[in-house]
Structure formats: C-alpha cells, structure tokens
Amino acid sequence: MNFLIKILYLISKIPLKILYIFSDIIFFLNYYIVGYRKKVILQNIKNSFPDKTDEEIQVILKKFYLNFSDYLVETVKSFSISETESRVRMQHINQHLFHEAKAEGKNIILLAGHVFNWEWINALAKVIPQKHCHPVYRKVNSNFWEDQMKKVRNKFGNEALEANEVIMNIFRNKNDGDSAYMFVADQTPHIAHVNYGLEFLNQRTPAFIGYDKLATRMDLVFIYCEMKKVKRGFYQVNYHRIYPDGEKFVNNEVVKKFHKLLENTIHKHPDNYLWSHRKWKYQDSIKTFDAEKI
C-alpha cells in the first residue's frame, strides 16, 4: 500500500496539462468501452430531467464522463498541489461572508453538493479569518485509505472530522466565529437513518438532516457553496448565506433551502453533477416525505 501511495504521489507531481492527457484516455475507455455505472448514470439523468430529449440526455451523459475523468486526475493532483496553484485554480467569491460571521461571533456551516470539483474547496482554510476549518468526511472501510484521504483534506491547515463525531464537536466547541465546518450535504443517509425526504430533481429524495438539526438549536451561519467549472482545471466557488424566513430557522428549513440552491446549480450545468452516486437507492425507505415544492 505504501508503494502505491508513493506511485500516486509521483504521478500527482506531473503538471495538470499532462495529467489531462490521462483524463482523455480514461474518458475514452470509460465512455466508449467500460461504461462505469452507465445504467445508473443514465437513469439518474433521465429521472431528473423528464422533459429533455434523448439527444439532450446523451449530451449531458458524454460531458459528465469528461468532467468525471477530469475529477479523477484532479483528485490525484490533490496529493501534491501547492497552495499557490490551488489559489490560482480555485477562486473563492464572496469571502466577506466569512468576515461577517466572525464579526457576529458565529461559527459557520458550509453546505456543498457533489458538483465538480468540490474536493478543491479544501484550500479555503488559507483565505478565511476562521482559525479552524473542518472538512467533514465519511469513514471508509479501509483504515489505510481513510488515513491517506484525511491527509489530503488536512492540507492547508484543515482539521478533518469524521461525520459521526462532527455534531458532538460543534456542540462542545465555543460558538465564537472561529470555526467553519464543511459538509458535502447531499450525502445519501444510511438506510437505517432514512427518516426525512423531499422532492429534489423531480424525485423522492432521502435527505441527510444532521446539519438542519443544528440550525434550530444553535445560532450558526449557514453558507451554500455554489461550484462552477470555469474551464478545464479552473473553478469558482460562490458563497451564498442562507437566511431564515422568520426570526430563526424552523425544522427542515435549511435542508429544503440547500436542496433548492443545489437544484438551481445543477440545472445551470447538469454535466458537472456526480450522477454516478446512488442518491435515490433508498427513496422507498423514506419515513416522512415533504411533498412541498422546494
């Protein structure tokens, strides 16, 4: 395993413009020959955009495989990418929101979706005034790979937290504006925790609601991370503060507003969403379904 990591690290040192040649090869093999999860991807896209023609669906499918291939080599690049290159390739818009939260003395919950390339938000820790920046990740079965991915996410001064420990960490730590927690918030809950669902992309969708529970119990700042692929290897993340309709958030308000914002982002560039994940596999297990249109 250590040998494999050394190989990956050496590959990650190759300039991205060359790594994208490997991306093109991966795309060709994946799209034309292997067809990684092609049935799942195609069904997810069709269900999400019932009004699109077969030709439009195929365009999204092909562009998705191109973006997915770029994502794979960009993830490898994350092992060695420098802070300088990261800042050039990922532009952070509306940074004033982080200064406002610090001035208000409120910690931040960042909500991102699986929009390419969400992994590169990690360098945010170097550009915001908060002392502690915590990417939240899901535990994987291999301790070795978990350690490696944690190292990648802890670059640039981050302090990664496993999903099962993050809520307790938020409650225990002082709410003083010095901490930011980064959730990829469109995760699919484990089947044992599929309690709440809503309509998202024209489908009954199980929703992770841990961060929503925080909204009704603590005075935190919630920020949506809108990812945009400007061109190959260059991204923008535009930060939008999520405000309650009333004086404070009510149950499920944040989760609905997040999914609405994410849905708008996906409609702009549907090929940038991670259609290969099985987001809707537990939709029949939803206990409480919110039929209200988001």
Side-chain angles (χ1 to χ4, degrees):
M1 283 293 190
N2 286 330
F3 176 74
L4 178 58
I5 288 299
K6 289 179 181 177
I7 295 297
L8 283 174
Y9 183 79
L10 288 173
I11 294 174
S12 76
K13 300 290 285 184
I14 298 172
L16 262 174
K17 63 181 179 180
I18 297 177
L19 286 177
Y20 284 133
I21 297 174
F22 290 97
S23 174
D24 291 338
I25 295 171
I26 294 170
F27 161 73
F28 179 83
L29 294 173
N30 217 354
Y31 183 72
Y32 291 103
I33 300 174
V34 178
Y36 169 72
R37 289 192 175 181
K38 202 164 197 173
K39 288 183 179 179
V40 172
I41 296 165
L42 194 57
Q43 193 62 54
N44 284 343
I45 297 173
K46 284 183 176 180
N47 290 344
S48 297
F49 304 105
D51 295 332
K52 289 190 180 296
T53 65
D54 289 342
E55 290 76 14
E56 290 173 319
I57 295 295
Q58 287 299 322
V59 169
I60 295 172
L61 178 70
K62 187 173 185 179
K63 287 184 177 179
F64 163 77
Y65 273 109
L66 285 165
N67 290 325
F68 181 67
S69 300
D70 283 354
Y71 162 73
L72 293 177
V73 300
E74 288 166 2
T75 299
V76 172
K77 186 64 180 177
S78 298
F79 280 86
S80 66
I81 193 169
S82 68
E83 179 187 341
T84 300
E85 184 173 6
S86 180
R87 287 202 186 192
V88 170
R89 294 189 175 278
M90 176 66 81
Q91 186 179 11
H92 300 271
I93 311 295
N94 285 342
Q95 293 181 35
H96 69 276
L97 296 177
F98 297 92
H99 293 273
E100 288 177 3
K102 186 171 177 64
E104 293 172 22
K106 298 177 184 178
N107 290 339
I108 297 170
I109 304 296
L110 291 160
L111 304 176
H114 283 93
V115 180
F116 302 123
N117 186 342
W118 72 91
E119 291 284 0
W120 278 8
I121 299 179
N122 278 345
L124 177 67
K126 289 294 186 179
V127 300
I128 61 176
Q130 281 69 28
K131 293 180 181 178
H132 308 287
C133 196
H134 302 285
V136 179
Y137 69 94
R138 274 188 171 181
K139 191 177 183 65
V140 296
N141 293 328
S142 168
N143 289 333
F144 177 82
W145 282 111
E146 180 172 348
D147 288 342
Q148 299 309 315
M149 292 310 298
K150 195 170 181 178
K151 287 178 182 177
V152 170
R153 293 185 173 117
N154 279 347
K155 289 182 68 174
F156 313 122
N158 288 317
E159 304 163 54
L161 291 172
E162 204 276 321
N164 289 331
E165 63 186 20
V166 66
I167 301 298
M168 189 59 68
N169 184 283
I170 293 172
F171 280 127
R172 285 178 177 174
N173 283 349
K174 188 177 180 181
N175 185 15
D176 57 2
D178 262 344
S179 296
Y181 299 85
M182 304 162 62
F183 287 80
V184 181
D186 61 336
Q187 297 277 8
T188 302
H190 187 275
I191 189 170
H193 303 293
V194 178
N195 296 313
Y196 175 81
L198 42 67
E199 185 176 323
F200 172 68
L201 291 172
N202 296 297
Q203 299 170 79
R204 288 171 58 94
T205 306
F208 172 70
I209 59 174
Y211 59 88
D212 192 275
K213 293 178 180 179
L214 293 169
T216 58
R217 298 181 187 180
M218 298 181 69
D219 191 11
L220 301 167
V221 170
F222 287 81
I223 295 176
Y224 171 63
C225 310
E226 183 179 20
M227 291 297 306
K228 178 183 177 182
K229 187 171 186 175
V230 179
K231 61 180 180 179
R232 199 175 208 183
F234 294 89
Y235 298 85
Q236 287 180 348
V237 54
N238 198 340
Y239 298 101
H240 304 274
R241 184 163 176 174
I242 301 174
Y243 291 97
D245 289 336
E247 186 176 334
K248 60 182 181 179
F249 289 109
V250 298
N251 287 338
N252 303 322
E253 185 177 0
V254 171
V255 71
K256 286 193 285 189
K257 288 188 173 183
F258 162 70
H259 278 85
K260 179 60 178 177
L261 289 164
L262 179 59
E263 189 174 82
N264 290 340
T265 298
I266 294 168
H267 275 284
K268 291 176 187 176
H269 300 284
D271 50 284
N272 278 332
Y273 191 57
L274 186 64
W275 296 108
S276 56
H277 69 166
R278 301 179 188 271
K279 185 168 180 60
W280 292 280
K281 62 181 176 179
Y282 298 139
Q283 62 181 195
D284 293 333
S285 300
I286 296 171
K287 297 179 180 66
T288 302
F289 179 69
D290 192 336
E292 181 184 352
K293 190 72 175 177
I294 62 171

